[in-house]
Amino acid sequence: MFNPSRDDARRFFFDTWRKYRAQQPLEGLETTVLDTLLAHPEYHALLDKPGRYLERDYPPEFGETNPFLHLSMHLAIAEQLGIDQPPGIRAHYQALLEKTGDPMHAQHEIMDCLAEMIWQAQRHGTAFDPLIYFACLDKKSRKYS
């Protein structure tokens, strides 16, 4: 999934969920995403209805979280942690994990900072800046001290 379309990414989540529910073997990234899917029971009913939700939009002005964006950000964070890119992200995660005691909570804190970094880059037309990312993560970590 190097550059999937919106529908391709969503089908990946639906297909992984369908295979899990049918007790079929999962492969590669499917095993990674399953942990995230299982940790988000609020999305299970949605994942059971691809025909209804594949093309649904989640405009921010309606105040709803886009579940597919949320799940995709978990995957991005898992990838970052797996390769420690940007360098130091794994240490920030470990610090948050020690303070929160919950892997999903730590990932959600990271997600807030990842979203902030992306927003800043889009707003200013710049590249992603790990300094913004890590400053946000440091602030999150201090919150638990």
Side-chain angles (χ1 to χ4, degrees), residues 33-66:
V33 78
L34 180 62
D35 290 337
T36 300
L37 298 178
L38 292 173
H40 287 81
E42 67 274 23
Y43 299 150
H44 294 176
L46 171 146
L47 292 165
D48 284 330
K49 297 177 184 143
R52 181 172 182 186
Y53 293 102
L54 177 66
E55 296 182 11
R56 180 168 176 204
D57 289 324
Y58 295 87
E61 57 269 16
F62 291 160
E64 271 187 288
T65 297
N66 180 332

Side-chain angles (χ1 to χ4, degrees), residues 5-71:
S5 69
R6 180 186 87 158
D7 288 355
D8 290 338
R10 288 180 178 193
R11 278 189 198 96
F12 172 72
F13 294 120
F14 288 127
D15 290 345
T16 300
W17 185 247
R18 178 192 51 75
K19 286 171 74 174
Y20 164 74
R21 301 272 284 184
Q23 299 182 355
Q24 296 174 335
L26 301 177
E27 302 172 353
L29 195 54
E30 292 171 335
T31 58
T32 302
V33 78
L34 180 62
D35 290 337
T36 300
L37 298 178
L38 292 173
H40 287 81
E42 67 274 23
Y43 299 150
H44 294 176
L46 171 146
L47 292 165
D48 284 330
K49 297 177 184 143
R52 181 172 182 186
Y53 293 102
L54 177 66
E55 296 182 11
R56 180 168 176 204
D57 289 324
Y58 295 87
E61 57 269 16
F62 291 160
E64 271 187 288
T65 297
N66 180 332
F68 301 104
L69 175 60
H70 184 87
L71 295 169

Side-chain angles (χ1 to χ4, degrees), residues 60-143:
E61 57 269 16
F62 291 160
E64 271 187 288
T65 297
N66 180 332
F68 301 104
L69 175 60
H70 184 87
L71 295 169
S72 294
M73 289 185 75
H74 273 292
L75 281 181
I77 292 165
E79 178 69 16
Q80 289 180 346
L81 295 174
I83 61 173
D84 197 30
Q85 183 61 33
I89 188 64
R90 196 179 294 145
H92 282 277
Y93 170 73
Q94 287 299 324
L96 283 167
L97 181 58
E98 288 174 18
K99 292 177 180 193
T100 65
D102 178 16
M104 274 298 125
H105 188 79
Q107 285 184 34
H108 286 144
E109 294 285 32
I110 290 173
M111 191 178 295
D112 288 345
C113 294
L114 178 59
E116 174 68 20
M117 179 185 63
I118 292 168
W119 181 79
Q120 289 286 349
Q122 289 175 334
R123 180 174 176 223
H124 299 294
T126 59
F128 295 145
D129 186 346
L131 295 177
I132 292 171
Y133 198 12
F134 290 163
C136 179
L137 290 169
D138 287 339
K139 185 176 178 181
K140 295 267 187 192
S141 193
R142 283 192 303 275
K143 173 174 84 171

